């Protein structure tokens, strides 16, 4: 089965991990800081906190934003469920706003119509690696007095109006799952320019521990002393995975270049296929393509999905609208809430896209797809 996405591992990655395994620090060691510093080069210098997964990154970001029970978080339904679930687990009410039909990204006008005095955060999702409309979303967030969060699980290395992802929102979350552009096997990170947001994020991912005597309530206990002022969790990403991530980040430019090349080839090879809508790209955005999402018209998406899979091509669908999951249905959410997102989902099909995909494999994907649609 040709997968829709897969990791790109080289001997340099293996060597980086092996070096840590032979050293003294498997976790909380120097590789963590090195990885975070390298990641900050891609966020325009915005400091980053590494964590154990993209989901953990969202949880940490919402805690840093001060999301609590009774607050509201406005976000897109066209995303993996974790974007909403992590807010709901903090007791917030998730408010789903519709998406723009061309990019599948959160519609700023739809978000603006749903903010209230209880809106604590507005979370955009850079669907497929195409950054959302952050200038407009910033206006919405500022008017509401809300924190702007970017779920950039798909878009590491992308830019919006010449500004890098990671420097566009108050808090930005990344994912390093194997299908993503950069992997640490499992892992994530939170970027925050504001020192207080960064402090909250860094403290929460390490049990809430306070080690600086100047900030402790009883600093004279001894050199071993540490305190917890607010509860946190162990979301620390270990050195062994940070070493893999650091090695991967050094090839991020190459990964992006190959993905961009493959997207351009798909665009040429599929541009005249009837019943197929190709992904949009705004002129002021430089995506970092994680997915190549086409829309299959005529009610044929399931048929095409099943026939492509039967032919050994692992296409995927991204995503079931988050509020369609039974856990949200049981909370009272109903289908029909976001018509554009539901329409997008009904037609969406992700074609294989990863740096090691060869031109010949891509042409096989195209030939199979066009044959089915014909």
């Amino acid at each position: 089965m040709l997968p829709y996405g897969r990791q790109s591992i080289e001997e340099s990655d293996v060597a980086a991990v092996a070096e840590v395994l032979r050293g003294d620090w498997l976790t909380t060691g120097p590789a963590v800081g090195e990885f975070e510093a390298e990641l900050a080069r891609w966020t325009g210098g915005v400091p980053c906190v590494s964590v154990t997964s993209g989901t953990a990154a969202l949880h940490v970001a919402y805690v840093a934003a001060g999301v609590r029970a009774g607050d509201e978080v406005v976000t897109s339904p066209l995303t993996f469920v974790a974007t909403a679930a992590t807010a709901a687990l903090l007791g917030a009410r998730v408010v789903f706003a519709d998406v723009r039909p061309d990019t599948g990204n959160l519609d700023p006008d739809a978000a603006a119509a749903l903010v209230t005095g209880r809106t604590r955060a507005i979370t955009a999702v850079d669907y497929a690696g195409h950054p959302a409309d952050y200038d407009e979303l910033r206006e919405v967030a500022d008017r509401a007095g809300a924190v702007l969060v970017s779920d950039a699980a798909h878009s590491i290395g992308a830019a919006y109006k010449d500004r890098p992802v990671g420097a566009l929102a108050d808090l930005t979350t990344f994912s390093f799952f194997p299908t993503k552009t950069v992997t640490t096997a499992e892992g994530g990170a939170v970027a925050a320019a504001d020192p207080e947001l960064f402090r909250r994020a860094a403290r929460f991912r390490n049990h809430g521990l306070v080690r600086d005597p100047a900030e402790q309530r009883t600093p004279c206990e001894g050199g071993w002393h540490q305190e917890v002022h607010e509860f946190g969790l162990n979301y620390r990403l270990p050195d062994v995975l940070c070493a893999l991530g650091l090695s991967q980040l050094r090839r991020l430019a190459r990964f992006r270049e190959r993905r961009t090349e493959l997207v351009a080839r798909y665009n040429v090879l599929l541009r005249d296929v009837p019943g197929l809508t190709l992904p949009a790209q705004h002129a002021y955005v430089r995506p970092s393509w994680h997915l190549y999402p086409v829309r299959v018209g005529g009610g044929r998406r399931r048929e095409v999905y099943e026939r492509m899979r039967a032919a050994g091509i692992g296409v995927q669908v991204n995503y079931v609208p988050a509020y369609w999951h039974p856990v949200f249905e049981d909370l009272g959410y109903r289908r029909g809430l976001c018509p554009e997102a539901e329409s997008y989902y009904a037609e969406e099909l992700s074609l294989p896209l990863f740096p090691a995909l060869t031109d010949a494999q891509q042409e096989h994907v195209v030939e199979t797809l066009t044959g089915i649609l014909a």
Side-chain angles (χ1 to χ4, degrees):
M1 178 73 72
L2 181 67
Y4 87 96
R6 75 182 308 273
Q7 66 272 18
S8 299
I9 300 296
E10 295 183 357
E11 284 305 311
S12 58
D13 299 319
V14 177
V17 171
E19 183 179 355
V20 170
L21 289 173
R22 295 188 183 102
D24 295 327
W25 295 89
L26 294 184
T27 189
T28 66
V32 177
E34 292 170 9
F35 172 66
E36 292 171 344
E38 183 67 17
L39 182 58
R41 290 183 58 246
W42 289 93
T43 63
V46 175
C48 300
V49 175
S50 59
V51 293
T52 52
S53 69
T55 301
L58 287 159
H59 191 192
V60 168
Y62 287 140
V63 169
V67 173
R68 295 181 175 84
D71 290 338
E72 294 177 348
V73 173
V74 177
T75 192
S76 163
L78 197 62
T79 181
F80 185 63
V81 68
T83 311
T86 44
L89 283 167
L90 290 170
R93 176 176 176 265
V94 181
V95 180
F96 292 102
D98 217 341
V99 302
R100 287 186 162 166
D102 57 347
T103 61
N105 284 333
L106 183 64
D107 184 337
D109 292 335
L114 294 171
V115 298
T116 71
R118 295 194 297 175
T119 302
R120 183 62 183 170
I122 297 172
T123 304
V125 177
D126 295 341
Y127 182 80
H130 188 293
D133 290 293
Y134 283 100
D135 284 352
E136 295 169 65
L137 289 167
R138 169 60 69 190
E139 292 179 8
V140 176
D142 287 351
R143 285 199 303 268
V147 176
L148 181 59
V149 179
S150 167
D151 181 342
H154 293 183
S155 61
I156 185 172
Y160 167 86
K161 297 184 180 178
D162 297 323
R163 300 180 340 249
V165 165
L168 302 169
D170 298 307
L171 291 154
T172 303
T173 66
F174 297 103
S175 170
F176 306 123
F177 189 72
T179 57
K180 301 301 195 300
T181 304
V182 164
T183 187
T184 58
E186 291 277 6
V190 180
D194 180 85
E196 179 59 19
L197 291 178
F198 181 83
R199 184 193 67 80
R200 290 180 201 163
R203 188 169 287 181
F204 183 76
R205 67 95 185 254
N206 190 27
H207 299 285
L209 291 173
V210 178
R211 290 186 167 132
D212 184 352
E215 297 181 22
Q216 293 175 348
R217 295 185 186 177
T218 56
C220 301
E221 292 292 317
W224 65 86
H225 185 60
Q226 52 193 356
E227 300 175 348
V228 174
H229 296 181
E230 294 180 284
F231 290 123
L233 295 171
N234 179 3
Y235 279 154
R236 298 187 303 261
L237 191 65
D239 282 58
V240 67
L241 299 186
C242 285
L244 173 58
L246 178 60
S247 179
Q248 290 264 306
L249 281 173
R250 289 170 176 162
R251 301 202 305 283
L252 175 52
R254 192 199 314 170
F255 292 156
R256 281 193 64 258
E257 182 179 353
R258 178 56 179 163
R259 286 173 177 269
T260 300
E261 180 181 308
L262 288 166
V263 167
R265 293 188 84 246
Y266 269 136
N267 288 343
V268 171
L269 294 168
L270 295 171
R271 63 187 173 192
D272 297 322
V273 178
L276 205 63
T277 302
L278 306 187
Q281 179 178 340
H282 292 169
Y284 49 84
V285 163
R286 188 187 70 208
S288 185
W289 293 107
H290 163 58
L291 302 174
Y292 187 79
V294 299
R295 294 182 64 166
V296 181
R300 300 187 64 192
R301 194 273 305 276
R302 181 166 182 169
E303 172 206 348
V304 173
Y305 171 89
E306 292 175 349
R307 291 178 65 180
M308 292 286 281
R309 286 250 167 178
I313 298 172
V315 292
Q316 186 57 282
V317 172
N318 305 96
Y319 296 93
V320 174
Y323 57 81
W324 281 23
H325 288 284
V327 67
F328 281 105
E329 185 178 71
D330 292 347
L331 291 171
Y333 295 81
R334 295 293 177 261
R335 299 190 181 199
L337 187 61
C338 297
E340 292 291 355
E342 295 184 20
S343 175
Y344 197 106
Y345 160 71
E347 297 181 341
E348 196 276 338
L349 192 71
S350 298
L351 303 185
L353 182 68
F354 51 93
L357 184 71
T358 67
D359 290 357
Q361 288 172 324
Q362 186 181 37
E363 288 158 12
H364 175 57
V365 172
V366 170
E367 290 167 6
T368 305
L369 176 60
T370 55
I372 292 169
L373 289 173

